[in-house]
Amino acid sequence: MRTRALFVTRPLDYPRRVSRHFRQKTGEEQRATWLELFFDLVYVFAVTQLSHALLADLSITGALKTLFLLLVIWWAWNYTTWMANWFDPDAVPVRVVLLGVMLASLLMAAAVPNAFGGDGLLFAAAYVALQVGRNTFNVVVADHGSTSNLSFRRILAWSVASAPLWLAGGVVEGRARVVLWLAALALDYAGPYARYWTPRLGRSATADWSIEGAHFAERFQLFVIIALGESIVVTGATASARGISAITVAGLAACFVSSAALWWLYFDKVAVHAQARLSSAGDDAGRLARDAYTYLHLPIVAGVVLAAVGDELVIAHPGHEASLWQSVAVAGGAALYLIGHLLFRYCMVRSTSDVRIVAVALLLLLVPLGTAVPLLAIGIATAAVLVGLVAVEQSPRLSRM
């Protein structure tokens, strides 16, 4: 019998007495539950923490630290999304576990500003608690000896293997913490690609990963909305704090247009086509879910976080000449977002978009050019490129996925 993998296995593998803990397969599209939407509120706060951390240290060191923290937060949310795609959030045991994961996520997010300082152990312990605790629940719920139990044991083994590295990194300081945490993160991210190979338990086949495609895609779409929401909040809050004036209104308008264009470029066609592709992928759905969503949505989200930092800079200091890193935030965030789109599209349908490649090139060109002009000018130029891309893609002749 083939072994199963990741967070899901076929419904018939579960005994009748525990079936109430899993989503019922009705053949209809499933939607995100109220608990999942409530759960996401913690990650609204987490994304805000990340953008503020980067704004406080807009340098290569600050960018690398923020990227690392984003990778950890993303992994915690991602694993929980896989779990909730199979387990029924309305089942009381599942609900309790998700609320526990939510609390751990909140503690982890609260520790973000000082994660590389005095709150390192809190950050690491919260992450380990939610990963190991959730995966232990999966093993306990699945009937001992079943293929589902075997699959969840593999995942738990990988979480337990990285836990000492996370905790040890939280105890030590400086370079030792960085080395230990990088090793732990690399181990966590390698798990799905290694198909959770575990001694004596073997590894999984991606063809055995079963998901409800519509629900799974919707959850990632909602996270993109969370990230875009941070841009809107930053735009309004910064404008209000600075005081309303003509130049503030100009900056606010440019940033809002950019955010609206980012939303349009993902949700007009990309999200719809990708969701349909995932729902009809059959045995290939698990691989696509892992590659296109679990991994390749990262640059999309990272691009929005970086763009939110750029929005705050444009509105707070519209007339200031931009530094290189400020220019990277304003134009580079949008470029990274579109690069994520291109990678996502290629993974899903093995094709690309020439007009989006041109837009990326123009945005990257704005980065060095932006150091010679005020921040507001870079913001307006970035918005113009994005709006131009939207307009071109609305042309029937050039419109693609």
Side-chain angles (χ1 to χ4, degrees):
M1 179 180 294
R2 291 186 298 177
T3 55
R4 309 285 184 186
L6 206 56
F7 302 93
V8 294
T9 51
R10 308 292 184 186
L12 293 179
D13 291 333
Y14 295 102
R16 189 177 301 275
R17 65 183 177 85
V18 297
S19 62
R20 65 184 182 277
H21 297 321
F22 299 89
R23 287 181 181 265
Q24 298 301 311
K25 303 298 181 180
T26 63
E28 299 179 355
E29 288 188 357
Q30 299 185 32
R31 307 304 300 269
T33 63
W34 293 116
L35 178 56
E36 289 172 281
L37 298 177
F38 181 53
F39 175 83
D40 284 348
L41 294 178
V42 169
Y43 288 86
V44 174
F45 172 60
V47 170
T48 299
Q49 291 282 77
L50 290 171
S51 64
H52 288 178
L54 180 56
L55 186 65
D57 186 9
L58 195 56
S59 64
I60 183 63
T61 300
L64 290 174
K65 287 181 177 180
T66 304
L67 174 60
F68 177 88
L69 296 171
L70 171 61
L71 290 171
V72 179
I73 287 170
W74 174 259
W75 215 235
W77 179 88
N78 168 73
Y79 264 55
T80 307
T81 294
W82 277 91
M83 173 192 175
N85 185 260
W86 188 256
F87 289 85
D88 181 8
D90 290 329
V92 172
V94 179
R95 180 175 293 179
V96 170
V97 170
L98 288 177
L99 289 174
V101 171
M102 189 176 177
L103 174 59
S105 299
L106 183 59
L107 292 171
M108 183 175 64
V112 161
N114 203 27
F116 288 94
D119 291 336
L121 183 57
L122 174 62
F123 181 83
Y127 175 75
V128 168
L130 70 88
Q131 290 288 77
V132 174
R134 183 192 53 239
N135 294 338
T136 298
F137 171 81
N138 296 348
V139 172
V140 170
V141 167
D143 188 46
H144 182 72
S146 69
T147 54
S148 58
N149 182 274
L150 180 63
S151 175
F152 295 141
R153 284 165 59 195
R154 290 195 196 100
I155 300 166
L156 177 60
W158 279 72
S159 297
V160 170
S162 69
L165 296 173
W166 285 112
L167 296 175
V171 172
V172 300
E173 298 179 351
R175 182 170 297 181
R177 173 175 294 177
V178 173
V179 171
L180 287 169
W181 277 3
L182 284 175
L185 186 67
L187 185 61
D188 281 351
Y189 268 72
Y193 262 109
R195 304 202 304 275
Y196 296 103
W197 178 86
T198 306
R200 298 188 179 183
L201 299 180
R203 74 174 74 234
S204 307
T206 58
D208 292 329
W209 297 354
S210 173
I211 60 169
E212 206 291 310
H215 170 265
F216 190 86
E218 181 190 30
R219 294 295 294 125
F220 282 79
Q221 292 161 15
L222 288 171
F223 200 96
V224 174
I225 287 290
I226 288 172
L228 288 170
E230 168 63 10
S231 295
I232 300 298
V233 170
V234 163
T235 297
T238 307
S240 178
R242 189 178 190 276
I244 303 301
S245 64
I247 195 170
T248 302
V249 171
L252 186 151
C255 293
F256 174 78
V257 168
S258 291
S259 296
L262 294 180
W263 170 85
W264 191 304
L265 290 166
Y266 182 85
F267 286 95
D268 182 50
K269 294 179 182 177
V270 171
V272 175
H273 285 281
Q275 182 171 323
R277 171 76 177 93
L278 186 64
S279 296
S280 62
D283 287 342
D284 201 34
R287 181 192 64 82
L288 288 176
R290 179 195 65 181
D291 297 348
Y293 285 90
T294 293
Y295 289 108
L296 294 182
H297 263 60
L298 256 173
I300 294 175
V301 172
V304 178
V305 172
L306 186 57
V309 172
D311 289 344
E312 183 160 352
L313 291 169
V314 168
I315 297 173
H317 312 289
H320 291 195
E321 188 172 291
S323 68
L324 178 60
W325 280 105
Q326 289 174 333
S327 188
V328 167
V330 178
L336 180 58
Y337 179 81
L338 292 179
I339 289 170
H341 279 215
L342 291 167
L343 294 172
F344 177 58
R345 170 180 174 148
Y346 185 79
C347 181
M348 292 295 289
V349 296
R350 290 295 187 267
S351 70
T352 188
S353 168
D354 293 340
V355 292
R356 294 201 176 200
I357 293 174
V358 170
V360 169
L362 290 174
L363 290 167
L364 292 177
L365 183 61
L366 284 177
V367 172
L369 294 178
T371 58
V373 298
L375 279 161
L376 178 58
I378 312 172
I380 292 173
T382 299
V385 171
L386 294 173
V387 170
L389 176 58
V390 170
V392 169
E393 291 193 338
Q394 292 306 299
S395 167
R397 184 173 64 86
L398 296 175
S399 180
R400 298 177 180 179
M401 174 182 157

PDB file of all heavy atoms in Angstrom, residues 257 260-262 264-266 268-269 338 353 355-356 359 382-400:
ATOM      1  N   VAL A 257      -3.330  54.014  -5.436  1.00  0.00           N
ATOM      2  CA  VAL A 257      -3.412  53.511  -6.809  1.00  0.00           C
ATOM      3  C   VAL A 257      -2.496  52.309  -6.987  1.00  0.00           C
ATOM      4  O   VAL A 257      -2.873  51.316  -7.625  1.00  0.00           O
ATOM      5  CB  VAL A 257      -3.056  54.629  -7.810  1.00  0.00           C
ATOM      6  CG1 VAL A 257      -2.847  54.064  -9.211  1.00  0.00           C
ATOM      7  CG2 VAL A 257      -4.161  55.684  -7.840  1.00  0.00           C
ATOM      8  N   ALA A 260      -4.158  49.350  -5.244  1.00  0.00           N
ATOM      9  CA  ALA A 260      -5.301  48.888  -6.027  1.00  0.00           C
ATOM     10  C   ALA A 260      -4.846  48.115  -7.263  1.00  0.00           C
ATOM     11  O   ALA A 260      -5.452  47.100  -7.635  1.00  0.00           O
ATOM     12  CB  ALA A 260      -6.163  50.087  -6.440  1.00  0.00           C
ATOM     13  N   ALA A 261      -3.758  48.584  -7.883  1.00  0.00           N
ATOM     14  CA  ALA A 261      -3.233  47.877  -9.057  1.00  0.00           C
ATOM     15  C   ALA A 261      -2.681  46.509  -8.668  1.00  0.00           C
ATOM     16  O   ALA A 261      -2.869  45.519  -9.394  1.00  0.00           O
ATOM     17  CB  ALA A 261      -2.157  48.722  -9.731  1.00  0.00           C
ATOM     18  N   LEU A 262      -2.001  46.427  -7.525  1.00  0.00           N
ATOM     19  CA  LEU A 262      -1.492  45.134  -7.062  1.00  0.00           C
ATOM     20  C   LEU A 262      -2.656  44.168  -6.832  1.00  0.00           C
ATOM     21  O   LEU A 262      -2.571  42.981  -7.172  1.00  0.00           O
ATOM     22  CB  LEU A 262      -0.681  45.317  -5.778  1.00  0.00           C
ATOM     23  CG  LEU A 262       0.628  46.107  -5.890  1.00  0.00           C
ATOM     24  CD1 LEU A 262       1.301  46.201  -4.522  1.00  0.00           C
ATOM     25  CD2 LEU A 262       1.566  45.490  -6.906  1.00  0.00           C
ATOM     26  N   TRP A 264      -5.608  44.287  -8.303  1.00  0.00           N
ATOM     27  CA  TRP A 264      -6.190  43.985  -9.609  1.00  0.00           C
ATOM     28  C   TRP A 264      -5.357  42.914 -10.326  1.00  0.00           C
ATOM     29  O   TRP A 264      -5.899  41.978 -10.907  1.00  0.00           O
ATOM     30  CB  TRP A 264      -6.230  45.270 -10.445  1.00  0.00           C
ATOM     31  CG  TRP A 264      -7.041  45.184 -11.710  1.00  0.00           C
ATOM     32  CD1 TRP A 264      -6.895  44.287 -12.735  1.00  0.00           C
ATOM     33  CD2 TRP A 264      -8.124  46.044 -12.089  1.00  0.00           C
ATOM     34  NE1 TRP A 264      -7.811  44.535 -13.721  1.00  0.00           N
ATOM     35  CE2 TRP A 264      -8.585  45.615 -13.349  1.00  0.00           C
ATOM     36  CE3 TRP A 264      -8.730  47.155 -11.483  1.00  0.00           C
ATOM     37  CZ2 TRP A 264      -9.629  46.254 -14.022  1.00  0.00           C
ATOM     38  CZ3 TRP A 264      -9.768  47.777 -12.150  1.00  0.00           C
ATOM     39  CH2 TRP A 264     -10.210  47.320 -13.406  1.00  0.00           C
ATOM     40  N   LEU A 265      -4.053  43.048 -10.285  1.00  0.00           N
ATOM     41  CA  LEU A 265      -3.169  42.147 -11.036  1.00  0.00           C
ATOM     42  C   LEU A 265      -3.229  40.715 -10.509  1.00  0.00           C
ATOM     43  O   LEU A 265      -2.935  39.777 -11.245  1.00  0.00           O
ATOM     44  CB  LEU A 265      -1.733  42.674 -10.981  1.00  0.00           C
ATOM     45  CG  LEU A 265      -1.494  43.960 -11.784  1.00  0.00           C
ATOM     46  CD1 LEU A 265      -0.159  44.586 -11.404  1.00  0.00           C
ATOM     47  CD2 LEU A 265      -1.555  43.686 -13.280  1.00  0.00           C
ATOM     48  N   TYR A 266      -3.613  40.546  -9.255  1.00  0.00           N
ATOM     49  CA  TYR A 266      -3.727  39.188  -8.703  1.00  0.00           C
ATOM     50  C   TYR A 266      -5.151  38.650  -8.806  1.00  0.00           C
ATOM     51  O   TYR A 266      -5.369  37.518  -9.233  1.00  0.00           O
ATOM     52  CB  TYR A 266      -3.284  39.181  -7.237  1.00  0.00           C
ATOM     53  CG  TYR A 266      -3.314  37.801  -6.600  1.00  0.00           C
ATOM     54  CD1 TYR A 266      -2.247  36.933  -6.739  1.00  0.00           C
ATOM     55  CD2 TYR A 266      -4.412  37.379  -5.852  1.00  0.00           C
ATOM     56  CE1 TYR A 266      -2.257  35.676  -6.149  1.00  0.00           C
ATOM     57  CE2 TYR A 266      -4.438  36.132  -5.257  1.00  0.00           C
ATOM     58  CZ  TYR A 266      -3.360  35.280  -5.419  1.00  0.00           C
ATOM     59  OH  TYR A 266      -3.397  34.033  -4.844  1.00  0.00           O
ATOM     60  N   ASP A 268      -7.916  39.830 -10.548  1.00  0.00           N
ATOM     61  CA  ASP A 268      -8.714  39.939 -11.766  1.00  0.00           C
ATOM     62  C   ASP A 268      -8.749  38.616 -12.527  1.00  0.00           C
ATOM     63  O   ASP A 268      -9.813  38.154 -12.940  1.00  0.00           O
ATOM     64  CB  ASP A 268      -8.163  41.054 -12.657  1.00  0.00           C
ATOM     65  CG  ASP A 268      -8.985  41.235 -13.929  1.00  0.00           C
ATOM     66  OD1 ASP A 268     -10.214  41.344 -13.821  1.00  0.00           O
ATOM     67  OD2 ASP A 268      -8.390  41.254 -15.021  1.00  0.00           O
ATOM     68  N   LYS A 269      -7.592  38.001 -12.701  1.00  0.00           N
ATOM     69  CA  LYS A 269      -7.542  36.762 -13.474  1.00  0.00           C
ATOM     70  C   LYS A 269      -6.673  35.693 -12.824  1.00  0.00           C
ATOM     71  O   LYS A 269      -7.008  34.514 -12.837  1.00  0.00           O
ATOM     72  CB  LYS A 269      -7.021  37.045 -14.887  1.00  0.00           C
ATOM     73  CG  LYS A 269      -7.954  37.914 -15.716  1.00  0.00           C
ATOM     74  CD  LYS A 269      -7.386  38.189 -17.099  1.00  0.00           C
ATOM     75  CE  LYS A 269      -8.320  39.098 -17.887  1.00  0.00           C
ATOM     76  NZ  LYS A 269      -7.757  39.442 -19.225  1.00  0.00           N
ATOM     77  N   LEU A 338       5.509  41.171  -8.630  1.00  0.00           N
ATOM     78  CA  LEU A 338       5.276  40.676  -9.993  1.00  0.00           C
ATOM     79  C   LEU A 338       6.178  39.479 -10.322  1.00  0.00           C
ATOM     80  O   LEU A 338       5.766  38.578 -11.063  1.00  0.00           O
ATOM     81  CB  LEU A 338       5.502  41.799 -11.000  1.00  0.00           C
ATOM     82  CG  LEU A 338       4.483  42.940 -10.963  1.00  0.00           C
ATOM     83  CD1 LEU A 338       4.833  43.998 -12.001  1.00  0.00           C
ATOM     84  CD2 LEU A 338       3.065  42.422 -11.197  1.00  0.00           C
ATOM     85  N   SER A 353       4.436  35.692 -19.006  1.00  0.00           N
ATOM     86  CA  SER A 353       3.773  36.890 -19.526  1.00  0.00           C
ATOM     87  C   SER A 353       4.829  37.915 -19.904  1.00  0.00           C
ATOM     88  O   SER A 353       5.537  38.427 -19.029  1.00  0.00           O
ATOM     89  CB  SER A 353       2.812  37.468 -18.481  1.00  0.00           C
ATOM     90  OG  SER A 353       2.378  38.760 -18.844  1.00  0.00           O
ATOM     91  N   VAL A 355       4.414  40.984 -20.981  1.00  0.00           N
ATOM     92  CA  VAL A 355       4.143  42.335 -20.493  1.00  0.00           C
ATOM     93  C   VAL A 355       4.506  42.472 -19.016  1.00  0.00           C
ATOM     94  O   VAL A 355       4.953  43.544 -18.575  1.00  0.00           O
ATOM     95  CB  VAL A 355       2.667  42.725 -20.734  1.00  0.00           C
ATOM     96  CG1 VAL A 355       2.388  42.871 -22.221  1.00  0.00           C
ATOM     97  CG2 VAL A 355       1.710  41.729 -20.104  1.00  0.00           C
ATOM     98  N   ARG A 356       4.347  41.427 -18.249  1.00  0.00           N
ATOM     99  CA  ARG A 356       4.726  41.495 -16.836  1.00  0.00           C
ATOM    100  C   ARG A 356       6.246  41.503 -16.685  1.00  0.00           C
ATOM    101  O   ARG A 356       6.782  42.141 -15.769  1.00  0.00           O
ATOM    102  CB  ARG A 356       4.101  40.349 -16.054  1.00  0.00           C
ATOM    103  CG  ARG A 356       2.583  40.456 -15.997  1.00  0.00           C
ATOM    104  CD  ARG A 356       1.958  39.689 -14.868  1.00  0.00           C
ATOM    105  NE  ARG A 356       0.514  39.926 -14.841  1.00  0.00           N
ATOM    106  CZ  ARG A 356      -0.270  39.723 -13.797  1.00  0.00           C
ATOM    107  NH1 ARG A 356       0.252  39.257 -12.670  1.00  0.00           N
ATOM    108  NH2 ARG A 356      -1.557  39.965 -13.859  1.00  0.00           N
ATOM    109  N   ALA A 359       7.223  45.003 -17.284  1.00  0.00           N
ATOM    110  CA  ALA A 359       6.877  45.827 -16.116  1.00  0.00           C
ATOM    111  C   ALA A 359       7.899  45.642 -14.997  1.00  0.00           C
ATOM    112  O   ALA A 359       8.303  46.617 -14.344  1.00  0.00           O
ATOM    113  CB  ALA A 359       5.477  45.471 -15.624  1.00  0.00           C
ATOM    114  N   THR A 382       6.032  54.494  -9.954  1.00  0.00           N
ATOM    115  CA  THR A 382       5.670  53.093  -9.689  1.00  0.00           C
ATOM    116  C   THR A 382       4.195  52.853  -9.960  1.00  0.00           C
ATOM    117  O   THR A 382       3.813  51.859 -10.598  1.00  0.00           O
ATOM    118  CB  THR A 382       6.003  52.733  -8.226  1.00  0.00           C
ATOM    119  OG1 THR A 382       7.413  52.883  -8.016  1.00  0.00           O
ATOM    120  CG2 THR A 382       5.591  51.305  -7.917  1.00  0.00           C
ATOM    121  N   ALA A 383       3.359  53.766  -9.494  1.00  0.00           N
ATOM    122  CA  ALA A 383       1.921  53.644  -9.748  1.00  0.00           C
ATOM    123  C   ALA A 383       1.630  53.674 -11.240  1.00  0.00           C
ATOM    124  O   ALA A 383       0.774  52.928 -11.738  1.00  0.00           O
ATOM    125  CB  ALA A 383       1.169  54.769  -9.034  1.00  0.00           C
ATOM    126  N   ALA A 384       2.351  54.516 -11.985  1.00  0.00           N
ATOM    127  CA  ALA A 384       2.127  54.626 -13.429  1.00  0.00           C
ATOM    128  C   ALA A 384       2.475  53.317 -14.140  1.00  0.00           C
ATOM    129  O   ALA A 384       1.746  52.876 -15.046  1.00  0.00           O
ATOM    130  CB  ALA A 384       2.961  55.772 -14.002  1.00  0.00           C
ATOM    131  N   VAL A 385       3.566  52.671 -13.734  1.00  0.00           N
ATOM    132  CA  VAL A 385       3.946  51.386 -14.348  1.00  0.00           C
ATOM    133  C   VAL A 385       2.877  50.334 -14.075  1.00  0.00           C
ATOM    134  O   VAL A 385       2.469  49.586 -14.982  1.00  0.00           O
ATOM    135  CB  VAL A 385       5.315  50.919 -13.820  1.00  0.00           C
ATOM    136  CG1 VAL A 385       5.611  49.496 -14.290  1.00  0.00           C
ATOM    137  CG2 VAL A 385       6.421  51.856 -14.288  1.00  0.00           C
ATOM    138  N   LEU A 386       2.404  50.274 -12.842  1.00  0.00           N
ATOM    139  CA  LEU A 386       1.411  49.260 -12.474  1.00  0.00           C
ATOM    140  C   LEU A 386       0.076  49.497 -13.176  1.00  0.00           C
ATOM    141  O   LEU A 386      -0.558  48.557 -13.666  1.00  0.00           O
ATOM    142  CB  LEU A 386       1.223  49.243 -10.959  1.00  0.00           C
ATOM    143  CG  LEU A 386       2.433  48.776 -10.149  1.00  0.00           C
ATOM    144  CD1 LEU A 386       2.183  48.974  -8.656  1.00  0.00           C
ATOM    145  CD2 LEU A 386       2.770  47.318 -10.449  1.00  0.00           C
ATOM    146  N   VAL A 387      -0.344  50.755 -13.235  1.00  0.00           N
ATOM    147  CA  VAL A 387      -1.600  51.071 -13.930  1.00  0.00           C
ATOM    148  C   VAL A 387      -1.456  50.778 -15.418  1.00  0.00           C
ATOM    149  O   VAL A 387      -2.382  50.264 -16.059  1.00  0.00           O
ATOM    150  CB  VAL A 387      -1.999  52.533 -13.691  1.00  0.00           C
ATOM    151  CG1 VAL A 387      -3.150  52.940 -14.603  1.00  0.00           C
ATOM    152  CG2 VAL A 387      -2.403  52.743 -12.234  1.00  0.00           C
ATOM    153  N   GLY A 388      -0.295  51.080 -15.983  1.00  0.00           N
ATOM    154  CA  GLY A 388      -0.056  50.769 -17.388  1.00  0.00           C
ATOM    155  C   GLY A 388      -0.135  49.275 -17.658  1.00  0.00           C
ATOM    156  O   GLY A 388      -0.699  48.843 -18.674  1.00  0.00           O
ATOM    157  N   LEU A 389       0.404  48.484 -16.730  1.00  0.00           N
ATOM    158  CA  LEU A 389       0.336  47.032 -16.876  1.00  0.00           C
ATOM    159  C   LEU A 389      -1.112  46.543 -16.835  1.00  0.00           C
ATOM    160  O   LEU A 389      -1.517  45.690 -17.637  1.00  0.00           O
ATOM    161  CB  LEU A 389       1.155  46.357 -15.769  1.00  0.00           C
ATOM    162  CG  LEU A 389       1.126  44.836 -15.717  1.00  0.00           C
ATOM    163  CD1 LEU A 389       1.605  44.233 -17.033  1.00  0.00           C
ATOM    164  CD2 LEU A 389       1.962  44.328 -14.542  1.00  0.00           C
ATOM    165  N   VAL A 390      -1.886  47.080 -15.898  1.00  0.00           N
ATOM    166  CA  VAL A 390      -3.300  46.718 -15.822  1.00  0.00           C
ATOM    167  C   VAL A 390      -4.008  47.058 -17.126  1.00  0.00           C
ATOM    168  O   VAL A 390      -4.787  46.252 -17.674  1.00  0.00           O
ATOM    169  CB  VAL A 390      -3.987  47.436 -14.641  1.00  0.00           C
ATOM    170  CG1 VAL A 390      -5.501  47.253 -14.717  1.00  0.00           C
ATOM    171  CG2 VAL A 390      -3.467  46.901 -13.311  1.00  0.00           C
ATOM    172  N   ALA A 391      -3.745  48.241 -17.660  1.00  0.00           N
ATOM    173  CA  ALA A 391      -4.405  48.684 -18.891  1.00  0.00           C
ATOM    174  C   ALA A 391      -4.041  47.786 -20.066  1.00  0.00           C
ATOM    175  O   ALA A 391      -4.903  47.406 -20.867  1.00  0.00           O
ATOM    176  CB  ALA A 391      -4.023  50.129 -19.193  1.00  0.00           C
ATOM    177  N   VAL A 392      -2.769  47.423 -20.174  1.00  0.00           N
ATOM    178  CA  VAL A 392      -2.335  46.561 -21.268  1.00  0.00           C
ATOM    179  C   VAL A 392      -3.004  45.192 -21.173  1.00  0.00           C
ATOM    180  O   VAL A 392      -3.456  44.626 -22.171  1.00  0.00           O
ATOM    181  CB  VAL A 392      -0.798  46.414 -21.269  1.00  0.00           C
ATOM    182  CG1 VAL A 392      -0.363  45.312 -22.238  1.00  0.00           C
ATOM    183  CG2 VAL A 392      -0.147  47.730 -21.661  1.00  0.00           C
ATOM    184  N   GLU A 393      -3.095  44.661 -19.951  1.00  0.00           N
ATOM    185  CA  GLU A 393      -3.678  43.330 -19.789  1.00  0.00           C
ATOM    186  C   GLU A 393      -5.186  43.320 -19.986  1.00  0.00           C
ATOM    187  O   GLU A 393      -5.770  42.245 -20.171  1.00  0.00           O
ATOM    188  CB  GLU A 393      -3.312  42.761 -18.416  1.00  0.00           C
ATOM    189  CG  GLU A 393      -1.834  42.436 -18.296  1.00  0.00           C
ATOM    190  CD  GLU A 393      -1.524  41.596 -17.083  1.00  0.00           C
ATOM    191  OE1 GLU A 393      -2.318  41.583 -16.124  1.00  0.00           O
ATOM    192  OE2 GLU A 393      -0.475  40.931 -17.087  1.00  0.00           O
ATOM    193  N   GLN A 394      -5.808  44.476 -19.951  1.00  0.00           N
ATOM    194  CA  GLN A 394      -7.233  44.522 -20.237  1.00  0.00           C
ATOM    195  C   GLN A 394      -7.524  44.495 -21.730  1.00  0.00           C
ATOM    196  O   GLN A 394      -8.669  44.305 -22.143  1.00  0.00           O
ATOM    197  CB  GLN A 394      -7.851  45.778 -19.620  1.00  0.00           C
ATOM    198  CG  GLN A 394      -7.870  45.773 -18.100  1.00  0.00           C
ATOM    199  CD  GLN A 394      -8.538  44.549 -17.520  1.00  0.00           C
ATOM    200  OE1 GLN A 394      -9.722  44.297 -17.754  1.00  0.00           O
ATOM    201  NE2 GLN A 394      -7.787  43.755 -16.763  1.00  0.00           N
ATOM    202  N   SER A 395      -6.484  44.674 -22.523  1.00  0.00           N
ATOM    203  CA  SER A 395      -6.648  44.590 -23.982  1.00  0.00           C
ATOM    204  C   SER A 395      -6.940  43.154 -24.368  1.00  0.00           C
ATOM    205  O   SER A 395      -6.217  42.232 -23.975  1.00  0.00           O
ATOM    206  CB  SER A 395      -5.371  45.059 -24.682  1.00  0.00           C
ATOM    207  OG  SER A 395      -5.401  44.713 -26.052  1.00  0.00           O
ATOM    208  N   PRO A 396      -8.001  42.886 -25.136  1.00  0.00           N
ATOM    209  CA  PRO A 396      -8.337  41.504 -25.513  1.00  0.00           C
ATOM    210  C   PRO A 396      -7.205  40.785 -26.237  1.00  0.00           C
ATOM    211  O   PRO A 396      -7.037  39.580 -26.102  1.00  0.00           O
ATOM    212  CB  PRO A 396      -9.560  41.688 -26.447  1.00  0.00           C
ATOM    213  CG  PRO A 396     -10.148  42.981 -26.041  1.00  0.00           C
ATOM    214  CD  PRO A 396      -8.985  43.851 -25.649  1.00  0.00           C
ATOM    215  N   ARG A 397      -6.410  41.546 -26.964  1.00  0.00           N
ATOM    216  CA  ARG A 397      -5.332  40.922 -27.739  1.00  0.00           C
ATOM    217  C   ARG A 397      -4.160  40.493 -26.841  1.00  0.00           C
ATOM    218  O   ARG A 397      -3.527  39.477 -27.086  1.00  0.00           O
ATOM    219  CB  ARG A 397      -4.815  41.892 -28.793  1.00  0.00           C
ATOM    220  CG  ARG A 397      -3.754  41.308 -29.722  1.00  0.00           C
ATOM    221  CD  ARG A 397      -3.419  42.269 -30.836  1.00  0.00           C
ATOM    222  NE  ARG A 397      -2.830  43.489 -30.329  1.00  0.00           N
ATOM    223  CZ  ARG A 397      -1.519  43.644 -30.072  1.00  0.00           C
ATOM    224  NH1 ARG A 397      -0.685  42.627 -30.252  1.00  0.00           N
ATOM    225  NH2 ARG A 397      -1.047  44.804 -29.629  1.00  0.00           N
ATOM    226  N   LEU A 398      -3.914  41.267 -25.769  1.00  0.00           N
ATOM    227  CA  LEU A 398      -2.780  40.994 -24.927  1.00  0.00           C
ATOM    228  C   LEU A 398      -3.146  40.303 -23.626  1.00  0.00           C
ATOM    229  O   LEU A 398      -2.279  39.875 -22.874  1.00  0.00           O
ATOM    230  CB  LEU A 398      -2.038  42.298 -24.603  1.00  0.00           C
ATOM    231  CG  LEU A 398      -1.413  43.027 -25.797  1.00  0.00           C
ATOM    232  CD1 LEU A 398      -0.830  44.350 -25.354  1.00  0.00           C
ATOM    233  CD2 LEU A 398      -0.351  42.170 -26.445  1.00  0.00           C
ATOM    234  N   SER A 399      -4.445  40.253 -23.340  1.00  0.00           N
ATOM    235  CA  SER A 399      -4.884  39.694 -22.071  1.00  0.00           C
ATOM    236  C   SER A 399      -4.525  38.225 -21.958  1.00  0.00           C
ATOM    237  O   SER A 399      -4.802  37.423 -22.827  1.00  0.00           O
ATOM    238  CB  SER A 399      -6.392  39.864 -21.914  1.00  0.00           C
ATOM    239  OG  SER A 399      -6.825  39.322 -20.698  1.00  0.00           O
ATOM    240  N   ARG A 400      -3.897  37.892 -20.848  1.00  0.00           N
ATOM    241  CA  ARG A 400      -3.531  36.501 -20.554  1.00  0.00           C
ATOM    242  C   ARG A 400      -3.849  36.233 -19.109  1.00  0.00           C
ATOM    243  O   ARG A 400      -4.324  37.101 -18.392  1.00  0.00           O
ATOM    244  CB  ARG A 400      -2.037  36.275 -20.809  1.00  0.00           C
ATOM    245  CG  ARG A 400      -1.634  36.501 -22.276  1.00  0.00           C
ATOM    246  CD  ARG A 400      -0.156  36.328 -22.452  1.00  0.00           C
ATOM    247  NE  ARG A 400       0.259  36.536 -23.819  1.00  0.00           N
ATOM    248  CZ  ARG A 400       1.517  36.459 -24.245  1.00  0.00           C
ATOM    249  NH1 ARG A 400       2.472  36.210 -23.387  1.00  0.00           N
ATOM    250  NH2 ARG A 400       1.809  36.661 -25.516  1.00  0.00           N
TER     251      ARG A 400
END
